[in-house]
Amino acid sequence: MGSAASAAAPPPPPPAQPQMAAPSYGLGLAGILPSKPEGDDKKEVEKVDYLNLPCPVPFEEIQREALMSLKPELFEGLRFDFTKGLNQKFSLSHSVFMGSLEVPSQSSETIKVPTAHYEFGANFLDPKLILVGRVMTDGRLNARVKCDLTDDLTLKINAQLTHEPHYSQGMFNFDYKGTDYRAQFQIGNNAFYGANYMQSVTPNLSMGTEIFWLGHQRKSGIGFASRYNTDKMVGTLQVASTGIVALSYVQKVSEKVSLASDFMYNHMSKDVTSSFGYDYMLRQCRLRGKIDSNGVVAAYLEERLNMGVNFLLSAELDHSKKNYKFGFGMTIGE
Amino acid sequence: MASTAAEKGKAPADTEETAPAIAARLAAEWTTWAMKNAKVVAHYGFIPLVILVGMNSEPKPRLAQLLSPI
């Protein structure tokens, strides 16, 4: 729930190991002193300092690269977004959408509801405080707050408020970032409590766990996750007691191209889905495409026409359910 | 007569609440009232709060910039 987290680019590769310079001793000294190993130690395994591991990615973002490549925001209809910056930190946004939204239905038939809405938004982005609010013409408010209480502790609030009673949702998250671990505690409406913890085990591998408890339905769950990443690839595994097993793998083939694949198994509904996609990040455009084991083919193109003007094309074809979605749009401003 | 007097004697004892029970009931009522009003305040006041914080950040934008479409 809630809007997608800030789509940060995959973490930059760690700085290259500086080449060790040849010792500039005189010839006499070189004979006496032990010779230092020359060149970089790529062939030798570097000694891992287990007390100095990097901070892991937050638990909800372990599949970040796979989600960015495989799940673009596909839409059907017309979309127009205009963002006006008033200063470095503060901007207003106006967004128009005219098209069909899919309503999740129990039967195999898809239900599409034609809608049109205008959304006004205000964003305040500061390193220590982020306030993002979006309000629609029917009164629905989508609010996100991120506040750095101290250097290590962050409070995040995510809320969708409506005028209809009992339809509003809210979630408070307290994040603590340690030297090589992250912990998060969540409180949500309907008496939802959750906690998760992520620990770096080696410089490339991090593992974590989460538990949650739903008060009103008396349901609880526990899950485990692990993420292995190098400069070129990211692999994740997630298992939950709700019966979901999810794996993903992203390979960065070059600076501009990355390939991703994803596998999900739901034990309760005996549902297996696998998808494979590509992500081309070129200078003037970004093209993402994917194909699914359900026979769904989708593509999403963002073309940069000019500075700050982007043209969007979105397509999703599902031949078995006869559901074809095509959308186009324009984004002006950042 | 005696039965009605006995009934009257019993009825006030059932409706009396102990002090901790009264405190718990009032606390639950006030937190519900507070959450309902906090939701209304957040719903109407969040966007104005963001605009207020934004208009007071440096460099201060002008009101005309807020309202005009360019």
Side-chain angles (χ1 to χ4, degrees):
Chain A
M1 65 181 147
S3 51
S6 53
Q17 193 76 355
Q19 300 276 353
M20 295 187 67
S24 53
Y25 311 123
L27 284 172
L29 278 175
I32 305 171
L33 292 172
S35 57
K36 289 201 183 152
E38 289 263 343
D40 51 343
D41 296 340
K42 281 195 185 140
K43 299 223 174 97
E44 283 181 38
V45 173
E46 286 179 22
K47 191 101 178 72
V48 172
D49 183 4
Y50 281 101
L51 295 174
N52 211 6
L53 293 171
C55 202
V57 166
F59 189 91
E60 62 267 11
E61 283 184 32
I62 52 168
Q63 293 199 338
R64 169 178 67 187
E65 284 87 1
L67 289 175
M68 278 199 322
S69 296
L70 290 174
K71 297 204 168 40
E73 284 178 17
L74 301 164
F75 59 96
E76 177 172 22
L78 164 74
R79 215 181 97 176
F80 180 75
D81 293 329
F82 173 54
T83 305
K84 188 169 98 130
L86 279 90
N87 68 19
Q88 281 281 46
K89 302 181 184 178
F90 180 51
S91 56
L92 296 176
S93 82
H94 306 267
S95 172
V96 173
F97 176 76
M98 293 185 251
S100 312
L101 289 178
E102 259 184 40
V103 171
S105 73
Q106 313 291 25
S107 67
S108 60
E109 299 267 317
T110 48
I111 302 177
K112 290 195 194 184
V113 176
T115 44
H117 57 69
Y118 162 72
E119 192 178 56
F120 172 73
N123 317 321
F124 179 73
L125 305 158
D126 189 47
K128 294 224 151 166
L129 175 68
I130 294 181
L131 297 169
V132 171
R134 299 258 181 280
V135 66
M136 292 208 204
T137 44
D138 53 7
R140 271 186 291 164
L141 171 72
N142 200 328
R144 274 177 48 207
V145 175
K146 174 178 165 293
C147 177
D148 286 347
L149 301 172
T150 72
D151 268 344
D152 296 327
L153 184 63
T154 305
L155 163 67
K156 290 202 268 205
I157 305 176
N158 202 332
Q160 280 104 42
L161 303 176
T162 59
H163 277 301
E164 298 158 11
H166 304 303
Y167 271 88
S168 306
Q169 296 176 335
M171 181 94 88
F172 287 74
N173 299 346
F174 294 92
D175 294 355
Y176 183 77
K177 183 172 85 158
T179 44
D180 62 356
Y181 64 92
R182 281 192 201 248
Q184 185 185 67
F185 181 63
Q186 300 171 307
I187 304 176
N189 72 329
N190 287 341
F192 171 85
Y193 299 98
N196 62 51
Y197 178 78
M198 196 75 181
Q199 169 81 48
S200 268
V201 173
T202 75
N204 293 335
L205 177 67
S206 54
M207 306 177 79
T209 168
E210 73 162 343
I211 57 170
F212 69 87
W213 188 63
L214 273 167
H216 287 193
Q217 294 164 11
R218 294 276 189 274
K219 267 202 266 189
S220 66
I222 186 167
F224 295 98
S226 66
R227 174 184 159 110
Y228 183 81
N229 71 332
T230 64
D231 295 345
K232 297 264 171 199
M233 54 76 79
V234 176
T236 69
L237 163 70
Q238 209 165 353
V239 180
S241 72
T242 48
I244 294 189
V245 175
L247 292 105
S248 81
Y249 180 77
V250 178
Q251 172 87 30
K252 193 164 130 170
V253 172
S254 78
E255 279 299 324
K256 302 187 178 195
V257 179
S258 69
L259 300 174
S261 67
D262 173 85
F263 173 83
M264 198 186 74
Y265 170 59
N266 189 340
H267 186 70
M268 300 294 164
S269 61
K270 295 281 188 283
D271 206 9
V272 178
T273 309
S274 162
S275 63
F276 173 74
Y278 62 87
D279 189 350
Y280 289 165
M281 287 169 274
L282 307 173
R283 235 175 334 127
Q284 299 286 83
C285 76
R286 182 170 181 188
L287 175 61
R288 287 177 266 187
K290 76 161 202 239
I291 181 159
D292 220 339
S293 63
N294 300 330
V296 176
V297 181
Y300 191 83
L301 169 72
E302 289 163 88
E303 173 93 24
R304 201 186 84 141
L305 298 179
N306 204 343
M307 177 70 191
V309 180
N310 284 346
F311 179 62
L312 311 169
L313 282 175
S314 152
E316 188 181 355
L317 308 171
D318 189 350
H319 291 288
S320 54
K321 287 193 194 165
K322 301 238 188 303
N323 183 6
Y324 312 106
K325 289 163 48 171
F326 296 97
F328 65 98
M330 195 115 158
T331 305
I332 301 185
E334 313 84 38
Chain B
M1 287 276 264
S3 56
T4 47
E7 276 170 20
K8 277 193 200 156
K10 251 197 245 171
D14 285 337
T15 52
E16 247 176 44
E17 285 181 41
T18 56
I22 295 176
R25 179 175 55 88
L26 288 176
E29 279 176 14
W30 283 356
T31 38
T32 315
W33 175 90
M35 290 302 289
K36 280 203 174 133
N37 283 292
K39 187 228 165 208
V40 173
V41 165
H43 201 159
Y44 284 104
F46 187 73
I47 297 267
L49 169 76
V50 178
I51 293 179
L52 199 72
V53 170
M55 293 299 275
N56 287 334
S57 65
E58 292 301 324
K60 281 212 183 133
R62 296 191 308 272
L63 192 59
Q65 279 181 300
L66 183 69
L67 299 172
S68 88
I70 36 168

